[in-house]
Amino acid sequence: MSSAGQWFHPAEPSPDATVRLFLLPHAGSGAIIYRDWERLLPPGIAPQAVTLPGRHNRREEPTFEEFDPLVDALHDAVLNDLDDRPFAFFGHCLGAQLAFRLTLRMEAEGGPSPALIGMSGWSPQGFFQPTEEQSRMPEPELIEWIKKLGSFPAEIYDNPEMLALVVPALRADLRVAAQYVDDGGAVTCPLASYGGRSDPLQEHPDAMTHWAGRSPSYLGHSEYQGGHFYIDAHAQSVTAHFAARLRRFATGR
């Protein structure tokens, strides 16, 4: 296994799949938000969820606290792991930020780049952005704050052991997200966006419409009942929708 294997779960994609799909999680999390995707996606698509340092099996590794070095590290990990199959990115919240910047970089370099990207629970404009100060709040305040924002699955808040694992990674990811600067960048590959109708992190009702100007092949926005974690309740619908588009753009079928 390459050293990049620790970034992805499973470490090795299915050899029988014709397309690979890298799944990038929300702040403070690892692969859990995509726990059902391997079962839900068709066998021709091999999903691999990204695990950032400082969580799950990488808990002993130092977290990234700056945006650009994290994108650099992700970029190297993905490039080192690619084979000759087409691939795509799907990201939720911070994962969408990272997938978008990673795609911009890969396209600018003229090397391998994704056939399609899925942007969920975030847009370059009109979405809540944390500040560095907020990432340093005392823990009780931080937990109350993220509860109000609805920016973490509800079951986490009542589990002290889970909170102890999540909070350090969450603080680091909030610092990363606080550094995001929108430069108006646009990708050339197809882009599909997804969101919850009552997402409290969406500060402007038309936030997701900004994606239309970020790809000449924008495939439109799919909206679902629910808040920031609409994706949990609607995993079957989101995977079916995204997989149909991925098959078309990656394999022509």
Side-chain angles (χ1 to χ4, degrees):
M1 187 191 300
S2 72
S3 61
Q6 63 192 340
W7 284 86
F8 309 117
H9 179 79
E12 301 295 334
S14 165
D16 302 324
T18 54
V19 186
R20 298 178 63 178
L21 174 57
F22 295 96
L23 303 168
L24 290 89
H26 62 92
S29 182
I32 191 165
I33 194 170
Y34 299 115
R35 60 190 172 275
D36 297 326
W37 282 45
E38 193 165 13
R39 175 177 59 82
L40 294 172
L41 285 164
I45 298 173
Q48 288 176 281
V50 171
T51 300
L52 302 182
R55 61 216 81 195
H56 301 292
N57 59 311
R58 307 187 70 187
R59 199 165 292 125
E60 303 307 314
E61 298 177 52
T63 53
F64 281 90
E65 302 199 4
E66 294 181 48
F67 197 92
D68 290 339
L70 176 51
V71 172
D72 290 345
L74 259 176
H75 175 262
D76 291 348
V78 171
L79 281 185
N80 289 337
D81 208 65
L82 290 177
D83 48 33
D84 58 359
R85 288 177 283 186
F87 65 96
F89 296 138
F90 186 100
H92 182 69
C93 197
L94 175 65
Q97 284 187 8
L98 293 170
F100 185 59
R101 299 315 300 190
L102 189 53
T103 302
L104 283 168
R105 176 166 173 181
M106 295 177 93
E107 290 188 347
E109 291 181 351
S113 59
L116 171 66
I117 58 175
M119 302 284 98
S120 170
W122 176 76
S123 169
Q125 295 182 37
F127 256 76
F128 168 79
Q129 182 171 16
T131 64
E132 203 272 343
E133 292 74 24
Q134 286 167 329
S135 76
R136 300 191 185 280
M137 284 188 218
E139 189 160 319
E141 281 178 47
L142 180 71
I143 291 164
E144 280 308 307
W145 178 62
I146 59 174
K147 256 191 199 177
K148 265 187 216 146
L149 287 176
S151 60
F152 231 75
E155 63 269 19
I156 296 291
Y157 303 120
D158 300 322
N159 187 328
E161 288 177 11
M162 287 288 287
L163 276 174
L165 295 176
V166 159
V167 166
L170 177 63
R171 289 187 189 279
D173 288 350
L174 289 173
R175 285 194 274 280
V176 166
Q179 293 168 29
Y180 188 87
V181 177
D182 179 39
D183 58 3
V187 298
T188 61
C189 69
L191 184 158
S193 63
Y194 300 83
R197 194 160 288 135
S198 52
D199 187 341
L201 300 190
Q202 183 173 319
E203 295 182 333
H204 298 289
D206 64 346
M208 297 306 274
T209 65
H210 291 293
W211 282 121
R214 301 307 176 102
S215 167
S217 303
Y218 180 54
L219 305 177
H221 181 60
S222 300
E223 194 172 72
Y224 299 85
Q225 288 290 351
H228 192 57
F229 288 97
Y230 78 92
I231 197 167
D232 283 341
H234 299 285
Q236 188 162 7
S237 178
V238 174
T239 50
H241 187 277
F242 191 72
R245 279 141 193 80
L246 181 51
R247 277 199 300 264
R248 188 173 55 169
F249 288 104
T251 66
R253 293 199 298 276

